[in-house]
Amino acid sequence: MENIVRFPDKNSEEKAALQLPRIIGHRGAAAYAPENTLVGLHTAADMGVKWVEIDVKLSRDGEPVVFHDETLERITGTSGSVAETDWKDLKQLDAGAWFSEGFVDERIPHLEEALSVILDRGLGLNLEIKPCPGREKETAEVALDWLSRIWPEEDAPKPLISSFQAVSLEVSLLMMPEYPRGYLMAADLPETLENWQDRAAYLQAATVHFDRRFFAAEDGVMMSSLAASHYPLLCYTVNDAVEAEAMFDAGIVSVFSDRPDILDDL
Ligand code: G3P
Ligand code: MG
């Protein structure tokens, strides 16, 4: 891949403080086990992954659940949405059968269960706050309340809190300022791109996370503005070793990958 932009060296104090690995397991290790499940977290840990990324949103009755989509169809094969389903019903659903027979009966985890596995396995955490529309503030409040009660104050790197939603990051800044924040941007969410430097500065972001398509498409304007920033840069979702190496060569600090074993040196 041709690189049009050379990123500045990110061996900064921020990077050292964050102790970010080169590869972060995306939704666990989503190519090898059903995404955002406990078995996915164990699979990532078994592969030697150092950090995982998971998505959190709220059930109808306000419980934080580890799940990516707004609707249940893709993962559980049932109709309805997470925001309209209580936790007691969500936890009955099969979140593994869609992936393969070997994962039948895997469940949607409560955030508490996922944190327990993550801590037991010594994994670092990027918690992406992924609110259903209209619940941006509440989702961050509930998720951070659980996280701050469970995550140890010492002996584990602080979790990195990210979101595409500025409101959720703002809650994170106000509630748990000591947890670093990752500013997420996406091409289909133009509000994350416009004046992104001002928004990331207001939210006191520690890192900026962007879509691999910006890099692959050689989006000169966006890549130049990222390169000119002082932020450690993280890129999602990179499942190809050649692409990942090109990104590291260009100065990108970490990549999120469904296939964390694309590199020998995680
Ligand atoms: O946090 C990186 C990445 O997970 C963001 O996109 O849709 O996979 O949550 P998505
Ligand atoms: Mg995510």
Side-chain angles (χ1 to χ4, degrees):
M1 180 185 306
E2 290 292 312
N3 291 325
I4 53 168
V5 173
R6 174 96 203 147
F7 291 88
D9 182 12
K10 300 292 181 186
N11 288 321
S12 57
E13 281 177 27
E14 290 104 321
K15 182 190 165 191
L18 283 164
Q19 298 177 285
L20 288 167
R22 297 209 301 168
I23 300 261
I24 298 174
H26 187 234
R27 308 181 195 174
Y32 300 114
E35 65 184 56
N36 284 325
T37 61
L38 301 184
V39 73
L41 299 174
H42 283 297
T43 302
D46 290 345
M47 295 173 80
V49 170
K50 297 190 181 77
W51 279 54
V52 287
E53 183 260 8
I54 56 173
D55 306 291
V56 65
K57 53 181 13 91
L58 297 183
S59 64
R60 176 162 65 183
D61 52 344
E63 294 296 326
V65 296
V66 180
F67 203 79
H68 179 274
D69 298 358
E70 284 174 30
T71 58
L72 295 165
E73 179 67 35
R74 181 175 66 94
I75 298 296
T76 71
T78 54
S79 59
S81 68
V82 178
E84 293 168 344
T85 309
D86 287 340
W87 166 235
K88 71 174 174 36
D89 298 317
L90 285 175
K91 69 182 176 187
Q92 305 299 327
L93 301 175
D94 190 315
W98 73 278
F99 190 86
S100 73
E101 275 180 20
F103 294 106
V104 167
D105 269 347
E106 197 59 31
R107 302 288 153 173
I108 298 171
H110 192 282
L111 179 62
E112 183 181 26
E113 299 171 295
L115 293 177
S116 172
V117 171
I118 287 166
L119 288 167
D120 279 354
R121 299 300 306 263
L123 292 163
L125 172 64
N126 172 204
L127 183 64
E128 183 187 340
I129 313 279
K130 184 80 106 183
C132 294
R135 303 186 82 180
E136 292 80 7
K137 184 166 179 283
E138 183 191 4
T139 305
E141 286 171 348
V142 171
L144 286 164
D145 184 47
W146 279 92
L147 183 60
S148 61
R149 282 186 284 122
I150 292 171
W151 200 263
E153 285 183 19
E154 291 168 10
D155 302 329
K158 290 203 177 0
L160 175 60
I161 311 299
S162 62
S163 188
F164 290 109
Q165 303 300 327
V167 170
S168 300
L169 289 178
E170 187 178 32
V171 169
S172 179
L173 170 64
L174 296 174
M175 266 182 83
M176 294 302 296
E178 65 271 39
Y179 289 173
R181 285 161 301 287
Y183 183 88
L184 265 164
M185 42 173 67
D188 58 350
L189 295 171
E191 70 276 15
T192 65
L193 308 182
E194 247 172 67
N195 302 323
W196 73 265
Q197 295 95 330
D198 293 342
R199 292 156 63 91
Y202 169 74
L203 296 164
Q204 298 177 35
T207 54
V208 170
H209 309 187
F210 66 98
D211 190 320
R212 59 169 287 282
R213 285 170 288 192
F214 295 162
F215 189 83
E218 302 184 353
D219 182 334
V221 174
M222 182 49 68
M223 296 313 288
S224 298
S225 81
L226 287 166
S229 77
H230 67 279
Y231 295 104
L233 299 172
L234 288 71
C235 189
Y236 63 91
T237 303
V238 182
N239 293 331
D240 177 80
V242 173
E243 185 177 9
E245 290 292 1
M247 289 179 174
F248 298 135
D249 286 349
I252 289 167
V253 169
S254 306
V255 298
F256 298 91
S257 184
D258 299 324
R259 301 181 179 278
D261 59 348
I262 50 173
L263 300 180
D264 293 333
D265 174 15
L266 296 178

